[in-house]
Amino acid sequence: MQLKIQYYALMREQAGRSEETLETASNTPADLYGELTARYGFTLAREQLKVAVNSEFSDWSRRLAAGDAVVFIPPVAGG
Amino acid sequence: MMRFRFTQTAIDTAVARHELLDLGAGGYVSFEGWVRDHNEGQEVTRLEYEAFQELAVKEGERIVAEALRRFPVKHALCIHRVGTLGLSDMAVWVGVSSAHRGEAFEACRFIIDEVKHRVPIWKKEHYRSGDSGWVNCERCAAAPRHAHAHGHDHQHHDEPAANHS
């Protein structure tokens, strides 16, 4: 299925892009993070991140559907 | 309602403050976060703020709504800068009006603390040394890119490195 991925901050720099549409067999955000870490060499462990699907916080085990927009959220530092 | 929002340009506190006016309010409390010239032993020269705005405004609104439920205040508003900021620029502004000062101080503190912990905003520091780094992301990364070459510490920082607190 196709997913839309957006990257921010450190992960944007490590992926070398701010977004992409991806054909993937990953069914959950957790699987997807593993797949993308193998591709881009993300240095953050999954336990340090949160994940959003369709602009709302999500569980790592959520079943992804075609067309979902996924954003991995590195440790935040607002203020 | 837009009680949490982003701006690419300088925060106009006079305009923002006006939104908090209320005939029943006896005063207001504000917090301004400024860009500081140092963090964790490094000399900082400028900052870049970046946000996942679609989710950040939802989470920011939830924080302000929580503050309004928890504390008997009149109005509350938070504005956060994004983009490149220089030293002493204002990165964030929180304002709360209320009948009495006690709850206004508490609500203001609650909002800035929750924003720093929960809202998807990131800050890249640029240092006088020419180096740069994403706050809370680089030194606690599982495998920092330069860790082996330069022996950077692997210590995990649970508390976000506030730039102004």
Side-chain angles (χ1 to χ4, degrees):
Chain A
M1 68 183 159
Q2 278 204 335
L3 299 174
K4 187 184 169 200
I5 325 289
Q6 283 173 278
Y7 302 101
Y8 288 94
L10 178 64
M11 296 182 65
R12 174 173 51 72
E13 293 181 353
Q14 292 180 343
R17 65 202 68 208
S18 55
E19 62 176 51
E20 66 182 323
T21 301
L22 190 75
E23 183 63 38
T24 178
S26 295
N27 287 318
T28 64
D31 289 348
L32 181 65
Y33 189 67
E35 178 186 338
L36 293 170
T37 296
R39 178 178 308 184
Y40 296 123
F42 292 135
T43 53
L44 293 162
R46 204 192 85 195
E47 293 69 28
Q48 296 174 271
L49 309 178
K50 291 183 178 174
V51 65
V53 178
N54 302 331
S55 298
E56 197 46 86
F57 290 111
S58 169
D59 290 341
W60 286 97
S61 57
R62 173 197 177 115
R63 280 279 166 194
L64 293 170
D68 278 350
V70 181
V71 180
F72 298 105
I73 300 174
V76 302
Chain B
M1 280 295 288
M2 295 282 285
R3 292 172 300 197
F4 181 95
R5 56 183 184 251
F6 287 100
T7 177
Q8 301 262 10
T9 55
I11 297 168
D12 188 335
T13 57
V15 170
R17 175 188 172 284
H18 197 78
E19 295 183 40
L20 304 175
L21 295 177
D22 188 297
L23 293 176
Y28 100 110
V29 167
S30 70
F31 174 80
E32 297 184 5
W34 300 347
V35 176
R36 193 175 58 204
D37 70 353
H38 64 280
N39 194 33
E40 300 197 343
Q42 296 256 41
E43 279 187 82
V44 174
T45 56
R46 68 179 198 278
L47 292 182
E48 286 169 54
Y49 282 93
E50 170 175 336
F52 172 18
Q53 293 203 20
E54 283 174 312
L55 178 55
V57 295
K58 285 190 209 172
E59 188 69 356
E61 281 281 351
R62 285 192 282 253
I63 290 167
V64 175
E66 281 173 42
L68 294 171
R69 275 199 305 274
R70 290 168 75 121
F71 306 99
V73 298
K74 294 292 184 187
H75 304 284
L77 175 64
C78 179
I79 303 173
H80 205 294
R81 268 296 282 282
V82 286
T84 300
L85 278 72
L87 298 181
S88 298
D89 283 351
M90 196 191 308
V92 62
W93 181 89
V94 180
V96 180
S97 62
S98 135
H100 304 287
R101 68 188 179 282
E103 49 265 31
F105 277 105
E106 286 181 275
C108 188
R109 174 74 187 255
F110 173 85
I111 292 169
I112 186 62
D113 287 353
E114 294 297 306
V115 165
K116 290 171 79 81
H117 281 102
R118 289 167 49 186
V119 179
I121 301 169
W122 301 276
K123 161 165 72 190
K124 187 177 196 177
E125 293 177 332
H126 293 266
Y127 307 113
R128 191 162 303 286
S129 64
D131 213 349
S132 64
W134 291 97
V135 173
N136 297 336
C137 288
E138 310 267 10
R139 268 174 284 189
C140 61
R145 278 169 292 174
H146 305 299
H148 303 296
H150 304 294
H152 289 181
D153 71 74
H154 287 241
Q155 192 180 354
H156 182 82
H157 301 278
D158 287 322
E159 273 300 301
N163 246 74
H164 47 68
S165 57

